Amino acid sequence: MKTNYILLAGFLFFILLTLVGLPVPFFWDVTYFSHQASDFYLKGYTFTPLSPDIDTGGFPLYSTWMFCCWKLFGRTLLVSHLALLPFLLGIVYEYLRLAGKYLSRQILPFALLLLCAEPAFLTQSLLMAYDLLGIYFFLAALNALLEKRMLIFSVMIVFLGFTNMRGIFAVGAIGIIHGLLIYRQGRLRAGVLLYYTPFIVAVTAWAIFHHRHTGWYFFSPVREHAEEHLLRFGEMIRQFVFLIWKLVDSGRIFLWVVLGAGMFSFFKKGFRSREFRYLLAFLFIPLGVLMGLMVPIANPSSARYLMIVNICLCLAVCFILQQMRVRSRRWVMVLLLGGLVSGNFWIYPERFSNGWDTSLKVMPYFKLKREMIEFLKIQNIPPEEVGTQFPLIDNQNLTDLNGQDYQFTNALDGPLNRFHYYLHSNVCNTDLLPQIEQIKPTWKVLKQMKEGQVYMTLYENPAFDFAQTPGY
C-alpha cells in the first residue's frame, strides 16, 4: 500500500472518530482546561491570575487555543471537538513520517492500526484531551531533529514545553536523544544549546511571570486538595509499581511481551540494527525521564501520562514484526490487535484505579449522567441536595457547554449522612468507598441505571434532618 493511501486512511479514521464523538462532553481533568477557557471567554483573555483550583502552573496553551476557536466559531462541543482535529491529523502525519524512517512500507499499515487501536490514545481522542497537543509537538520535534530542520525543532519544543509539565519533561527526553545522536556522530559542540535557548527563555519567563502573580511556580499548593510534595521511599515504590501497572494495562502487556521476546531473540542471535536501537531510544529515554520525574512526586498518575511512550512502543514492536516470517507475523498481529481492543473492557474491583479516561468502557457514563439529571429534574430534586464526587461534581456548563449551571455538591465537604441524596457511580474517583458500603444497606435506592460496565445509583437518606438544612 502506498504511503499516501495509508496517511489518507489514518486521516479518515480520526475524522470519523471526531464526528462520532461530537456529543461527548469534557471529562476528567480536561474539565480544568474547559474551565480556564470559559473564564477567558466570559471574562476576557488574561494569563493570570486564574482561580487557584484550576491553575495548573503551566502556560495555558490548550485553553488559549480553545478560547480562540470559541471566539471565532462559538462556545460549543462541536467547535471544541473540531478544534482538536488538526492535532489528531498532525499526530497521524508525524507518526507515519517517523515510522517511515525505520519500518518497511509493508508494515506501515499495521503500525497505523496499532496507533488507532491504542486504548488510551483512542479514548483521549474522543475526550478532547489536552495531552494530544503534547503528543503532536513531541513527534513533530523528533522528526525535525532527525531531519536536521533545527529552526522548526526549536519552535516545536517551545510549544511542547507550554503544553504542561510533562511537556517540559518530554523536552528533556528529546534533549537526551539529541545528545546521543550527536555523540554517535562525533559532533558534540556547545553551539547545540542554541537550539534550546528559545525553550529555556520561554519557560523561564513564564515561570517568573506566574510566580509574581501567584507566589508559586509549577506545583500548586491547593489544587487536587493536597500539596504536591516529594514522597517517602516506600511511597515512591508504590508509585513506581502503579506506573508499571499502567504501562501494561489495557492490553499493552501483549506489546511489551512481544518487545521483550524480540529483544531477547535479537540479542541471542547477535542481530544488530541501527534503526532498532533508535526506536528503543525513542521508547526508553522518554519512559525513563517520565518515570524518574513522576515517581518521586505525590501527584496522581494516569495511563494518559505515558501516551508518548505507548506510541513509541507501537513502532518498536512493528520493527520486531517485520523481522518475522509472514505467517507468524500475521498471528502475532491478530494477537496484538485483539489484546489492545480487549483492553478497553478490562475492569478491576472498584477500590482500584480503572483508568476510565483511557479506555472506551467509559462511554456509557455520559448517557447515564444525562438520564440521571433528567430524572432529578422530573422529581424536582435540586442538585445542591445531591452529594457526589469527581467527576460527577463537574458543572454541566463546563462539561457540556450548554449554558446551564447545574452542579451537585461535593461529598468530600462533609459526612454522607448530612446529605438528603447521594449519587454514586463506579466511574467516580472515590475516597468514600467505605462510607458508601455502609449506607447501601440502610439508604433507599431511588434510581439505578447500568449500561455496559458503568453503573449509576441515586440513594435517599431515610434519616435526613430537614431542620438542619437551610431553606426548609
Side-chain angles (χ1 to χ4, degrees):
M1 184 183 296
K2 291 184 178 180
T3 305
N4 289 342
Y5 292 151
I6 301 171
L7 182 62
L8 178 62
F11 282 0
L12 289 176
F13 176 83
F14 283 99
I15 290 171
L16 290 174
L17 184 72
T18 299
L19 295 177
V20 168
L22 289 179
V24 177
F26 288 97
F27 179 67
W28 216 260
D29 284 358
V30 187
T31 310
Y32 285 121
F33 300 92
S34 169
H35 195 164
Q36 289 181 359
S38 295
D39 278 3
F40 293 155
Y41 184 81
L42 298 173
K43 302 174 184 178
Y45 184 74
T46 177
F47 295 141
T48 57
L50 289 163
S51 302
D53 58 328
I54 61 170
D55 189 350
T56 61
F59 183 88
L61 182 63
Y62 176 95
S63 307
T64 299
W65 172 249
M66 200 61 70
F67 158 75
C68 292
C69 293
W70 289 350
K71 271 295 186 182
L72 289 173
F73 306 108
R75 183 177 173 268
T76 65
L77 284 179
L78 169 65
V79 172
S80 304
H81 278 280
L82 294 179
L84 269 295
L85 182 58
F87 294 98
L88 281 172
L89 301 183
I91 289 169
V92 173
Y93 175 71
E94 297 294 347
Y95 173 82
L96 288 175
R97 287 182 62 234
L98 184 61
K101 293 178 172 65
Y102 304 101
L103 303 177
S104 64
R105 183 173 296 178
Q106 291 74 22
I107 208 73
L108 284 180
F110 186 70
L112 177 61
L113 283 175
L114 284 183
L115 177 71
C116 295
E118 212 293 311
F121 178 64
L122 183 63
T123 307
Q124 290 281 286
S125 298
L126 282 167
L127 298 178
M128 299 174 285
Y130 60 95
D131 281 300
L132 296 177
L133 275 66
I135 295 172
Y136 168 71
F137 291 125
F138 175 84
L139 293 175
L142 189 55
N143 276 320
L145 173 64
L146 295 171
E147 295 164 4
K148 296 184 173 64
R149 296 181 299 152
M150 303 312 293
L151 178 59
I152 295 176
F153 171 76
S154 295
V155 173
M156 290 299 106
I157 62 173
V158 169
F159 282 115
L160 179 57
F162 275 174
T163 54
N164 50 38
M165 277 299 296
R166 292 183 300 282
I168 296 176
F169 298 166
V171 174
I174 289 178
I176 296 174
I177 293 171
H178 192 182
L180 290 176
L181 291 173
I182 293 173
Y183 175 77
R184 287 187 58 83
Q185 296 169 358
R187 298 177 181 175
L188 186 59
R189 297 175 183 173
V192 170
L193 293 177
L194 290 175
Y195 302 132
Y196 295 86
T197 301
F199 161 76
I200 295 170
V201 171
V203 172
T204 302
W206 167 255
I208 294 171
F209 176 80
H210 184 271
H211 185 269
R212 287 185 61 185
H213 285 81
T214 63
W216 53 278
Y217 292 100
F218 295 106
F219 297 100
S220 169
V222 295
R223 197 169 58 89
E224 296 179 359
H225 313 288
E227 186 175 355
E228 295 164 308
H229 58 274
L230 291 177
L231 296 170
R232 297 188 183 92
F233 180 74
E235 295 170 328
M236 290 184 189
I237 296 298
R238 285 195 292 271
Q239 182 90 314
F240 176 78
V241 171
F242 179 84
L243 287 168
I244 293 296
W245 170 27
K246 291 305 172 185
L247 269 178
V248 302
D249 193 18
S250 300
R252 283 180 288 274
I253 181 66
F254 298 102
L255 275 72
W256 284 104
V257 168
V258 171
L259 178 65
M263 291 174 64
F264 177 78
S265 176
F266 289 172
F267 176 78
K268 188 176 180 181
K269 295 177 180 178
F271 177 80
R272 294 177 178 272
S273 167
R274 173 173 165 269
E275 289 79 9
F276 189 51
R277 287 198 297 270
Y278 280 175
L279 289 174
L280 290 181
F282 303 157
L283 168 62
F284 285 109
I285 290 175
L287 175 59
V289 170
L290 290 171
M291 293 283 281
L293 293 170
M294 288 194 295
V295 165
I297 299 175
N299 188 41
S301 299
S302 168
R304 73 177 185 275
Y305 294 179
L306 300 167
M307 285 195 293
I308 288 174
V309 175
N310 299 339
I311 288 174
C312 292
L313 172 64
C314 293
L315 296 178
V317 167
C318 284
F319 185 89
I320 289 172
L321 291 177
Q322 75 181 11
Q323 311 305 318
M324 298 173 64
R325 296 177 181 176
V326 174
R327 188 172 181 179
S328 300
R329 181 194 303 165
R330 288 172 180 168
W331 283 107
V332 175
M333 286 178 174
V334 171
L335 172 67
L336 294 178
L337 284 176
L340 288 179
V341 172
S342 75
N344 288 293
F345 308 100
W346 291 17
I347 195 164
Y348 305 97
E350 201 167 330
R351 66 182 182 275
F352 296 109
S353 171
N354 271 291
W356 290 104
D357 59 337
T358 53
S359 59
L360 295 178
K361 61 179 176 284
V362 75
M363 286 300 128
Y365 164 84
F366 306 108
K367 176 185 175 185
L368 295 181
K369 182 181 178 182
R370 286 193 297 268
E371 292 178 353
M372 183 62 74
I373 289 175
E374 287 304 313
F375 173 80
L376 291 167
K377 289 179 178 179
I378 292 172
Q379 298 298 316
N380 293 316
I381 298 175
E384 57 269 18
E385 292 185 24
V386 182
T388 190
Q389 279 191 270
F390 181 84
L392 278 168
I393 57 171
D394 288 332
N395 191 323
Q396 198 176 17
N397 190 29
L398 298 177
T399 57
D400 295 57
L401 308 182
N402 59 6
Q404 301 177 16
D405 284 317
Y406 190 96
Q407 186 171 18
F408 301 119
T409 302
N410 193 341
L412 291 175
D413 292 340
L416 296 189
N417 58 18
R418 71 178 281 266
F419 295 102
H420 193 177
Y421 305 94
Y422 184 79
L423 180 59
H424 179 60
S425 171
N426 55 339
V427 174
C428 287
N429 190 19
T430 179
D431 295 316
L432 300 175
L433 196 56
Q435 293 185 53
I436 295 167
E437 293 299 325
Q438 290 176 13
I439 72 172
K440 283 182 178 179
T442 57
W443 286 40
K444 178 183 177 181
V445 175
L446 279 186
K447 183 72 172 178
Q448 191 166 31
M449 300 183 294
K450 187 177 188 299
E451 184 170 327
Q453 294 173 292
V454 179
Y455 71 81
M456 201 169 289
T457 307
L458 178 66
Y459 297 95
E460 182 179 18
N461 182 2
F464 180 70
D465 187 354
F466 288 90
Q468 294 184 6
T469 303
Y472 285 97

